[in-house]
Amino acid sequence: MPISGRDRVYTADQTSNTVTVIDPSTNKTLGTIALGAQRLGATLSPQYTSNVGVHGLAFSRDDMRLGVVSVTSDTVDIIDTATNKVINETDVGRASHEGTFTADGKQFWVADRGRDTITVVDAVHGGVVRNIKVGPGPSKVVLSPDGKTAYINHISAPEITAVDVKSHKVLYNIKGLGDSFSSDEAISPDGAELWAAHKRVGLTSVVDLKHRKVSAVLKTGPDSNHPNFANTKSGSFTYLTVGGLDETLVYRRHPGGTPQLVTRIHDTGHAPHGIWPSGDGTRMYVGMEKSDAVDVIDTATNKVIDTTRTGQEPQALVYVPNAAPAGSAANLGRQGLGSAPRNVPTTLPDGTAGETMRSDNKGRRLEATIRPVSGLDMIQLQARDFQPTTTYQAYAVQKDGSRIPVLSFTTDASGNAAQVLAFADFTGVSISVTSEGKATAQTLARMSAAVASMHPGSDSAVEAADLLYCDCC
């Protein structure tokens, strides 16, 4: 379907708690749908009742409904794409993440990462229909093209679970994925392949659905995020965002065999995340998590041809053809827009620059993103390849070289800290970190308790440290 003014691109903005609405015919941002307040502020109140952590997106096959998953408030909102109004809202399972509509649009299935269930939501009237047990830490649900089979990846098991949509029964499991933690997955338009990204270890598993086996495990890079597909005149391709490299990788598909890496697209911003093709496959839209923007890629040339602004910290992204009347921007606001983040230099404990992109496809060792929220700054750090289970102190370095303590954090068993947050008035020009030595038993015990509440069954302190800083995206 050729791109038109009736189409819409949507991003789920985790920090501004909005959905950004973009007209792809002009690549202009029309506005945002506010589902909650910005992070901090009111969201910390025990009386706060709106949504927190707007994160997951899916749309119905008739293009008339948008399903939005908020990962912190554990809610699913069903939105009318023509009016941008919430039709109904449902409380679902713990740490709900990504879901999908059934083929008839009557139900929305969402994965509950903090449990072992898929919550089935009545997408027409709201409310929970039932819960389906599918194994530990389900992360996302996608449907086969015929709508008969649901496929679920996990954050606690290296497998894909297949469920019969009509009977709600588990059919089989495809084992042998590249890692037990799979943040996102996508199914090819022909239903032949499922790609599952393993964010923590920089791998992506390619699953042959016809023969129910893993056909390839690709080394794709740190923070391998979302895969998606485009059929063009040159063939069938998979596009995969790699947040730690600021790149979108393009693979030529070989169903049943190993895909071929065709090119690497250098994105204009930091941490490419959600991705979706236009209805005709001529464009690929990529959300920039740490730049609050969307890149538009021409799939014929694999070049970025435009960039547009979004709300704060976009996660999932979808492209919906014929979603709304041409020129319509009904019921949209401006929350989250006009407050772009900035990525500041960092210094490692040995005095070297942490933000330097390493040439061995391991990404930056230390990233720092400063984003204005609720009258303060959200200071977000991401550390890679530090000393394992070690505590570090981060400082805001001022213009005169003086340092102000910002926060301390402890790395996981692999030496990583995927998302460390602090809220303050950031007056510095850079971030530096120093090592405080091995984490104390008390710190590890506290981390273990925190993770156990999110991941029942995680009772090892090292496992807890490994899980605590796993990015939720």
Side-chain angles (χ1 to χ4, degrees), residues 20-64:
T20 298
V21 185
I22 298 168
D23 181 347
S25 69
T26 60
N27 292 329
K28 300 298 183 185
T29 298
L30 301 177
T32 60
I33 305 168
L35 297 177
Q38 282 184 313
R39 272 189 177 181
L40 200 64
T43 62
L44 294 179
S45 168
Q47 286 81 38
Y48 186 73
T49 58
S50 294
N51 291 341
V52 185
V54 174
H55 188 100
L57 289 178
F59 59 96
S60 58
R61 294 191 178 188
D62 63 5
D63 304 325
M64 297 175 63

Coordinates of all heavy atoms in Angstrom, one line a residue, residues 20-64:
T20 N 3.5 8.9 20.5 CA 3.7 9.9 19.5 C 3.0 9.5 18.2 O 3.1 8.3 17.8 CB 5.2 10.2 19.3 OG1 5.8 10.7 20.5 CG2 5.4 11.2 18.2
V21 N 2.3 10.5 17.6 CA 1.6 10.2 16.3 C 2.3 11.0 15.2 O 2.4 12.2 15.3 CB 0.1 10.6 16.4 CG1 -0.6 10.2 15.2 CG2 -0.5 9.9 17.6
I22 N 2.7 10.3 14.1 CA 3.5 10.9 13.0 C 2.8 10.6 11.7 O 2.3 9.5 11.5 CB 4.9 10.3 12.9 CG1 5.7 10.6 14.2 CG2 5.7 10.8 11.7 CD1 7.0 9.9 14.4
D23 N 2.7 11.6 10.8 CA 2.2 11.4 9.5 C 3.3 11.1 8.6 O 4.2 11.9 8.3 CB 1.5 12.7 9.0 CG 0.9 12.6 7.6 OD1 1.2 11.6 6.9 OD2 0.1 13.5 7.2
P24 N 3.4 9.8 8.1 CA 4.6 9.4 7.2 C 4.6 10.0 5.8 O 5.6 10.0 5.2 CB 4.4 7.9 7.2 CG 3.0 7.6 7.3 CD 2.5 8.7 8.3
S25 N 3.4 10.6 5.4 CA 3.4 11.2 4.1 C 4.2 12.5 4.1 O 4.7 13.0 3.0 CB 2.0 11.5 3.6 OG 1.4 12.5 4.4
T26 N 4.3 13.1 5.3 CA 5.1 14.4 5.4 C 6.3 14.2 6.4 O 7.1 15.1 6.5 CB 4.2 15.5 5.9 OG1 3.7 15.1 7.2 CG2 3.1 15.7 4.9
N27 N 6.3 13.1 7.1 CA 7.3 12.8 8.2 C 7.2 14.0 9.2 O 8.2 14.4 9.8 CB 8.7 12.7 7.6 CG 8.9 11.4 6.8 OD1 8.2 10.4 7.1 ND2 9.7 11.5 5.8
K28 N 6.0 14.4 9.5 CA 5.8 15.4 10.5 C 5.1 14.8 11.7 O 4.2 14.0 11.6 CB 4.9 16.6 10.0 CG 5.5 17.3 8.8 CD 6.9 17.9 9.1 CE 7.4 18.7 7.9 NZ 8.8 19.2 8.2
T29 N 5.5 15.2 12.9 CA 4.9 14.8 14.2 C 3.6 15.6 14.4 O 3.7 16.8 14.4 CB 5.9 15.0 15.4 OG1 7.0 14.2 15.1 CG2 5.2 14.6 16.7
L30 N 2.5 14.9 14.5 CA 1.2 15.5 14.7 C 0.9 15.9 16.1 O 0.2 16.8 16.4 CB 0.1 14.6 14.1 CG 0.2 14.2 12.7 CD1 -0.9 13.3 12.3 CD2 0.2 15.5 11.8
G31 N 1.5 15.1 17.1 CA 1.3 15.4 18.5 C 1.4 14.1 19.2 O 1.9 13.1 18.7
T32 N 1.0 14.1 20.5 CA 1.1 12.9 21.4 C -0.2 12.7 22.1 O -1.0 13.6 22.3 CB 2.2 13.1 22.4 OG1 2.0 14.3 23.2 CG2 3.6 13.3 21.7
I33 N -0.4 11.4 22.4 CA -1.5 10.9 23.3 C -0.9 10.7 24.6 O 0.0 9.8 24.8 CB -2.1 9.6 22.7 CG1 -2.6 9.8 21.3 CG2 -3.3 9.2 23.6 CD1 -2.9 8.5 20.6
A34 N -1.3 11.5 25.6 CA -0.8 11.3 27.0 C -1.6 10.3 27.7 O -2.8 10.4 27.9 CB -0.9 12.7 27.7
L35 N -0.9 9.2 28.2 CA -1.5 8.2 29.0 C -1.1 8.3 30.5 O -1.6 7.5 31.3 CB -1.1 6.8 28.4 CG -1.6 6.6 27.0 CD1 -1.1 5.2 26.5 CD2 -3.1 6.6 26.9
G36 N -0.2 9.2 30.8 CA 0.2 9.4 32.2 C 1.1 10.6 32.2 O 1.3 11.3 31.2
A37 N 1.6 10.9 33.4 CA 2.5 12.1 33.6 C 3.9 11.6 33.3 O 4.2 10.4 33.1 CB 2.4 12.6 35.0
Q38 N 4.8 12.6 33.1 CA 6.2 12.3 32.9 C 6.8 11.5 34.1 O 6.2 11.5 35.2 CB 7.1 13.6 32.8 CG 7.0 14.3 31.5 CD 7.9 15.4 31.4 OE1 8.0 16.3 32.4 NE2 8.7 15.6 30.4
R39 N 7.9 10.8 33.9 CA 8.5 10.1 35.0 C 8.8 11.0 36.1 O 9.0 12.2 36.0 CB 9.8 9.5 34.5 CG 9.7 8.1 33.9 CD 11.1 7.5 33.7 NE 11.0 6.2 33.1 CZ 12.1 5.4 32.9 NH1 13.3 5.8 33.1 NH2 11.9 4.2 32.4
L40 N 8.9 10.4 37.3 CA 9.1 11.1 38.6 C 7.8 11.9 38.9 O 6.7 11.5 38.5 CB 10.3 12.1 38.5 CG 10.9 12.5 39.8 CD1 11.4 11.3 40.6 CD2 11.9 13.6 39.6
G41 N 7.9 13.0 39.6 CA 6.7 13.8 40.0 C 5.6 12.9 40.5 O 5.7 12.2 41.4
A42 N 4.4 13.1 39.9 CA 3.2 12.5 40.4 C 3.3 10.9 40.3 O 2.6 10.3 41.1 CB 2.0 12.9 39.5
T43 N 4.1 10.4 39.4 CA 4.1 8.9 39.2 C 4.6 8.2 40.5 O 4.4 7.0 40.6 CB 5.0 8.5 38.0 OG1 6.3 8.9 38.2 CG2 4.4 9.2 36.7
L44 N 5.3 8.9 41.4 CA 5.8 8.2 42.6 C 4.8 8.3 43.7 O 5.0 7.6 44.7 CB 7.1 8.9 43.0 CG 8.3 8.8 42.1 CD1 9.5 9.5 42.7 CD2 8.7 7.3 41.9
S45 N 3.7 9.0 43.5 CA 2.7 9.1 44.6 C 1.9 7.8 44.7 O 1.6 7.2 43.7 CB 1.7 10.2 44.2 OG 0.6 10.2 45.1
P46 N 1.6 7.3 45.9 CA 0.8 6.1 46.1 C -0.6 6.3 45.6 O -1.3 5.3 45.5 CB 0.9 5.9 47.6 CG 1.3 7.2 48.2 CD 2.1 7.9 47.2
Q47 N -1.0 7.6 45.4 CA -2.4 7.8 44.9 C -2.4 8.0 43.4 O -3.5 8.3 42.8 CB -2.9 9.1 45.6 CG -3.4 9.0 47.0 CD -2.2 9.1 48.0 OE1 -1.3 9.9 47.7 NE2 -2.2 8.2 49.0
Y48 N -1.3 7.8 42.7 CA -1.2 8.0 41.3 C -2.0 6.9 40.6 O -1.7 5.7 40.8 CB 0.2 8.1 40.8 CG 0.4 8.4 39.3 CD1 0.1 9.7 38.9 CD2 0.7 7.5 38.4 CE1 0.2 10.1 37.5 CE2 0.8 7.8 37.0 CZ 0.6 9.1 36.6 OH 0.7 9.4 35.3
T49 N -2.9 7.2 39.6 CA -3.7 6.2 39.0 C -3.6 6.1 37.5 O -4.2 5.3 36.9 CB -5.2 6.5 39.3 OG1 -5.5 7.8 38.9 CG2 -5.4 6.4 40.8
S50 N -2.7 7.0 36.9 CA -2.6 6.9 35.4 C -1.5 5.9 35.1 O -0.9 5.2 36.0 CB -2.3 8.3 34.9 OG -3.4 9.1 35.0
N51 N -1.1 5.8 33.8 CA -0.1 4.8 33.4 C 1.3 5.3 33.5 O 1.6 6.5 33.5 CB -0.4 4.5 31.9 CG -1.7 3.8 31.7 OD1 -2.3 3.2 32.6 ND2 -2.2 3.8 30.5
V52 N 2.2 4.3 33.8 CA 3.6 4.5 33.9 C 4.4 3.5 33.1 O 4.1 2.3 33.1 CB 4.0 4.4 35.4 CG1 5.5 4.7 35.5 CG2 3.2 5.2 36.3
G53 N 5.4 4.0 32.3 CA 6.2 3.1 31.5 C 5.5 2.7 30.2 O 5.5 1.5 29.9
V54 N 5.0 3.6 29.5 CA 4.4 3.3 28.2 C 5.5 2.8 27.2 O 6.5 3.4 27.0 CB 3.8 4.6 27.5 CG1 3.3 4.3 26.1 CG2 2.6 5.1 28.4
H55 N 5.2 1.5 26.8 CA 6.4 0.8 26.2 C 6.0 0.0 25.0 O 6.7 0.0 24.0 CB 6.9 -0.1 27.3 CG 8.2 -0.8 26.9 ND1 9.4 -0.4 27.3 CD2 8.4 -1.9 26.2 CE1 10.4 -1.2 26.9 NE2 9.8 -2.1 26.1
G56 N 5.0 -0.9 25.0 CA 4.7 -1.8 23.9 C 3.6 -1.3 23.0 O 2.7 -0.6 23.5
L57 N 3.6 -1.7 21.7 CA 2.6 -1.3 20.8 C 2.3 -2.5 19.9 O 3.1 -3.3 19.5 CB 3.1 -0.2 19.9 CG 3.3 1.2 20.5 CD1 3.9 2.2 19.4 CD2 2.0 1.8 21.0
A58 N 1.0 -2.5 19.4 CA 0.6 -3.4 18.4 C -0.7 -2.8 17.8 O -1.4 -2.0 18.5 CB 0.3 -4.8 18.9
F59 N -1.1 -3.2 16.6 CA -2.3 -2.7 16.0 C -3.1 -3.9 15.4 O -2.6 -4.9 15.1 CB -2.0 -1.7 14.9 CG -1.2 -2.2 13.8 CD1 -1.8 -2.6 12.6 CD2 0.2 -2.1 13.9 CE1 -1.0 -3.0 11.5 CE2 1.0 -2.5 12.8 CZ 0.4 -3.0 11.6
S60 N -4.5 -3.7 15.4 CA -5.4 -4.7 14.9 C -5.2 -4.8 13.3 O -4.8 -3.8 12.7 CB -6.8 -4.4 15.2 OG -7.2 -3.1 14.7
R61 N -5.6 -5.9 12.8 CA -5.5 -6.1 11.4 C -6.4 -5.3 10.5 O -6.1 -5.1 9.3 CB -5.6 -7.6 11.0 CG -4.5 -8.5 11.7 CD -4.5 -9.9 11.2 NE -3.4 -10.7 11.8 CZ -3.1 -11.9 11.4 NH1 -3.7 -12.5 10.5 NH2 -2.1 -12.5 12.0
D62 N -7.4 -4.7 11.1 CA -8.3 -3.8 10.3 C -7.7 -2.4 10.4 O -8.4 -1.4 9.9 CB -9.7 -3.9 10.8 CG -9.9 -3.5 12.2 OD1 -9.0 -3.0 12.9 OD2 -11.1 -3.6 12.7
D63 N -6.6 -2.2 11.1 CA -5.9 -0.9 11.3 C -6.7 0.1 12.1 O -6.4 1.3 12.1 CB -5.6 -0.3 9.9 CG -4.7 -1.2 9.1 OD1 -3.9 -1.9 9.6 OD2 -4.9 -1.2 7.8
M64 N -7.7 -0.3 12.8 CA -8.6 0.6 13.5 C -8.3 0.8 15.0 O -8.8 1.7 15.7 CB -10.1 0.2 13.3 CG -10.6 0.2 11.9 SD -12.2 -0.4 11.7 CE -13.2 0.8 12.7

